[in-house]
């Protein structure tokens, strides 16, 4: 008997590729390139935080933490969220600690999405949101943010919402654009969420990396949104520990109960000693956060200057640690060809713009640089990019 061909792999997994961003880091290593692609700092994490992690292991905090998170870290999150955003949440019913904000986002999506549900996603978007939608079964509705200010058209946004909208994914401060959403923009989004009874899932992982006096306003703080906002955050960017994999979701009790169940069976829990260290990190004085922003301001200026001198059109970010650039002046067929040339011939790794768009053509004239790097790394990039005209001439 002839058996019908059986699909041996998941149809969902076939719908997306490996992460382009993480692939660029591998290419950077292969070609010995300066890596300005993936957003991880190449400088040391704060000494006190590393010491707290060492201490936690010595103190034998080495077994599973409570699945939804160690109590000291949940308490520290409550205290910090209230101090910074003026919103008080319940550590027993409204917080889930996960393996990075990546898992917090995925657990949230799996916890709230049903077949037929739609999510609204601003574009360009952090590349994880695409696979998050596919794996959870949500249908994304994309809304463009337009350069140079990355504003959205209110009519486009309103048109993307409808009776099937389960949530909008917001990321402010934004990767890759550096946009920081204003109160007026958040209120416009609020009105749509209320009208269509939708959640706002807000990725606030860059909350402390702000420039030019920009203020981070959490959607949870906007009138009427406390009960429909799910805040995604983590230690990675604020404390320069992307490899620790500690993140969290702050959500009202009902979605939290669902998120906790999904999280429990996905990962059980984030590393217990690092959660303990997280509780110490979150108690850092305001001066720590001020210095973080000041240091990033210096790096932003440095990279803006390097890129401008090398002939890139730059979009000045107001938050996060990326610079989107326009490369149309260099005459390449697309962003991927340019990124390949840059990593192989010039020795600088960047992320092709298309990895932030649903339709690759929309990102064909853009590439993203990161500046979460030490001065020597930026200086090496400067030196290599100064040779760009020569390499272009030899093409
Ligand atoms: C917007 C955004 N969200 C989430 C993440 C991943 O965060 P985590 O390390 O907490 O999983 C990143 C990392 O680049 C990011 O840019």
């Amino acid at each position: 008997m002839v058996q019908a061909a059986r699909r041996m792999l998941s149809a969902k997994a076939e719908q997306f590729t490996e992460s382009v961003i993480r692939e660029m880091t591998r290419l950077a290593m292969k070609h010995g390139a300066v890596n300005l692609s993936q957003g991880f700092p190449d400088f040391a994490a704060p000494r006190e935080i590393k010491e707290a992690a060492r201490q936690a292991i010595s103190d034998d905090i080495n077994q599973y933490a409570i699945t939804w998170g160690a109590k000291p870290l949940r308490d520290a999150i409550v205290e910090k969220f209230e101090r910074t955003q003026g919103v008080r949440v319940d550590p027993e019913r409204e917080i889930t600690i996960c393996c990075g904000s990546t898992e917090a986002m995925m657990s949230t999506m799996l916890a709230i999405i049903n077949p037929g549900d739609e999510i609204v996603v601003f574009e360009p978007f952090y590349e994880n949101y695409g696979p998050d939608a596919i794996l959870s079964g949500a249908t994304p509705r994309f809304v463009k943010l337009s350069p140079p200010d990355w504003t959205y058209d209110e009519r486009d946004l309103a048109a993307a919402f409808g009776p099937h909208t389960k949530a909008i994914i917001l990321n402010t401060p934004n990767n890759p654009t550096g946009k920081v959403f204003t109160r007026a923009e958040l209120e416009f989004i609020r009105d749509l969420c209320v009208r269509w009874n939708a959640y706002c899932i807000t990725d606030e992982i860059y909350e402390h990396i702000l420039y030019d006096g920009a203020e981070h306003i959490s959607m949870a703080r906007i009138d009427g949104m406390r009960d429909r906002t799910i805040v995604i955050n983590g230690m990675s960017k604020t404390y320069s520990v992307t490899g620790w994999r500690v993140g969290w979701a702050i959500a009202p009790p009902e979605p939290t109960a669902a998120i906790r169940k999904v999280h429990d069976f996905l990962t059980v829990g984030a590393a217990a000693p690092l959660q303990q260290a997280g509780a110490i990190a979150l108690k850092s004085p305001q001066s720590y956060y001020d210095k973080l922003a000041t240091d990033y301001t210096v790096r932003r200026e440095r990279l803006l200057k390097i890129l401008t001198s090398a002939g890139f059109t730059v979009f000045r970010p107001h938050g996060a640690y990326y610079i989107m650039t326009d490369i149309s002046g260099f005459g390449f067929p697309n962003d991927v060809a340019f990124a390949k040339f840059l990593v192989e011939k010039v020795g600088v790794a960047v992320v092709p713009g298309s990895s932030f768009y649903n339709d690759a053509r929309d990102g064909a004239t853009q590439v993203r640089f990161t500046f979460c790097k030490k001065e020597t790394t930026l200086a090496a990039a400067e030196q290599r990019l100064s040779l760009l005209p020569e390499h272009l001439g030899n093409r």
Side-chain angles (χ1 to χ4, degrees):
M1 198 171 78
V2 181
Q3 279 197 333
R6 184 150 70 111
R7 189 178 215 148
M8 297 302 283
L9 299 176
S10 142
K12 283 181 175 173
E14 280 175 5
Q15 284 173 56
F16 55 91
T17 62
E18 272 187 65
S19 157
V20 177
I21 298 179
R22 295 178 277 281
E23 169 65 11
M24 285 312 296
T25 285
R26 287 192 288 271
L27 276 179
M29 287 162 85
K30 181 174 164 200
H31 295 286
V34 179
N35 188 1
L36 300 189
S37 61
Q38 199 176 354
F40 61 83
D42 67 351
F43 44 83
R47 195 176 44 78
E48 300 77 10
I49 297 173
K50 290 187 290 191
E51 186 47 42
R54 271 193 288 268
Q55 190 61 46
I57 292 179
S58 297
D59 290 348
D60 253 324
I61 302 183
N62 291 313
Q63 310 308 327
Y64 301 121
I66 295 172
T67 179
W68 51 81
K71 173 89 168 120
L73 179 54
R74 281 183 285 126
D75 287 345
I77 292 168
V78 170
E79 188 278 322
K80 181 167 176 284
F81 198 51
E82 186 167 26
R83 178 161 43 85
T84 56
Q85 295 294 324
V87 180
R88 174 119 197 127
V89 297
D90 180 354
E92 302 313 325
R93 300 194 311 148
E94 296 186 291
I95 294 178
T96 313
I97 314 286
C98 296
C99 295
S101 66
T102 298
E103 195 234 322
M105 178 62 84
M106 183 64 88
S107 290
T108 297
M109 297 280 283
L110 291 171
I112 66 165
I113 296 298
N114 288 310
D117 283 349
E118 295 178 359
I119 53 163
V120 178
V121 182
F122 287 110
E123 198 181 26
F125 54 85
Y126 172 52
E127 65 163 1
N128 280 29
Y129 304 154
D132 286 342
I134 292 166
L135 290 172
S136 65
T139 304
R141 300 283 305 266
F142 297 101
V143 176
K144 285 270 178 332
L145 297 172
S146 305
D149 295 328
W150 306 102
T151 43
Y152 60 80
D153 182 320
E154 292 187 348
R155 282 159 309 183
D156 290 351
L157 185 58
F161 274 76
H164 300 293
T165 307
K166 178 57 71 69
I168 177 168
I169 296 186
L170 185 68
N171 171 215
T172 180
N174 186 262
N175 171 10
T177 65
K179 176 182 176 69
V180 179
F181 283 73
T182 63
R183 178 175 285 278
E185 287 172 327
L186 297 176
E187 287 176 350
F188 186 81
I189 296 167
R190 183 264 321 270
D191 291 346
L192 290 167
C193 288
V194 170
R195 170 158 181 226
W196 296 105
N197 189 24
Y199 287 114
C200 177
I201 308 173
T202 163
D203 181 339
E204 305 186 351
I205 193 149
Y206 297 103
E207 65 177 325
H208 293 289
I209 303 176
L210 296 163
Y211 315 106
D212 313 323
E215 185 195 3
H216 168 65
I217 304 172
S218 174
M219 184 59 106
R221 189 168 125 194
I222 299 293
D223 273 353
M225 285 305 284
R226 170 74 174 80
D227 292 337
R228 50 175 80 249
T229 299
I230 300 175
V231 179
I232 305 294
N233 209 331
M235 291 184 68
S236 286
K237 314 292 176 171
T238 303
Y239 305 103
S240 307
V241 288
T242 58
W244 282 23
R245 315 308 306 130
V246 178
W248 51 86
I250 304 174
E254 243 195 355
T256 291
I259 292 166
R260 285 179 173 187
K261 281 193 286 181
V262 174
H263 155 73
D264 191 9
F265 288 101
L266 270 183
T267 63
V268 179
L274 303 182
Q275 292 193 47
Q276 197 69 20
I280 309 278
L282 265 72
K283 295 196 180 91
S284 301
Q286 185 54 40
S287 56
Y288 171 79
Y289 304 101
D290 293 344
K291 182 165 185 322
L292 184 79
T294 309
D295 290 350
Y296 273 121
T297 305
V298 173
R299 295 185 191 107
R300 177 189 68 158
E301 290 315 309
R302 183 85 169 93
L303 187 60
L304 280 169
K305 194 162 156 277
I306 295 170
L307 296 179
T308 312
S309 308
F312 290 84
T313 301
V314 295
F315 302 113
R316 193 180 179 80
H318 299 296
Y321 49 47
Y322 306 98
I323 299 176
M324 271 295 244
T325 63
D326 189 296
I327 52 159
S328 20
F330 296 126
F332 279 76
N334 58 44
D335 57 320
V336 174
F338 180 76
K340 198 164 172 290
F341 163 80
L342 212 61
V343 73
E344 287 176 3
K345 300 284 190 279
V346 183
V348 176
V350 295
V351 181
S354 53
S355 58
F356 304 104
Y357 290 88
N358 182 47
D359 183 336
R361 287 169 297 189
D362 293 336
T365 60
Q366 295 170 354
V367 298
R368 187 200 77 176
F369 288 80
T370 184
F371 53 88
C372 54
K373 305 294 170 187
K374 48 190 184 219
E375 168 51 29
T376 48
T377 309
L378 296 177
E382 177 177 43
Q383 194 272 328
R384 291 178 183 206
L385 287 170
S386 69
L387 303 175
L388 181 59
E390 214 171 288
H391 288 290
L392 287 170
N394 294 337
R395 248 191 324 149

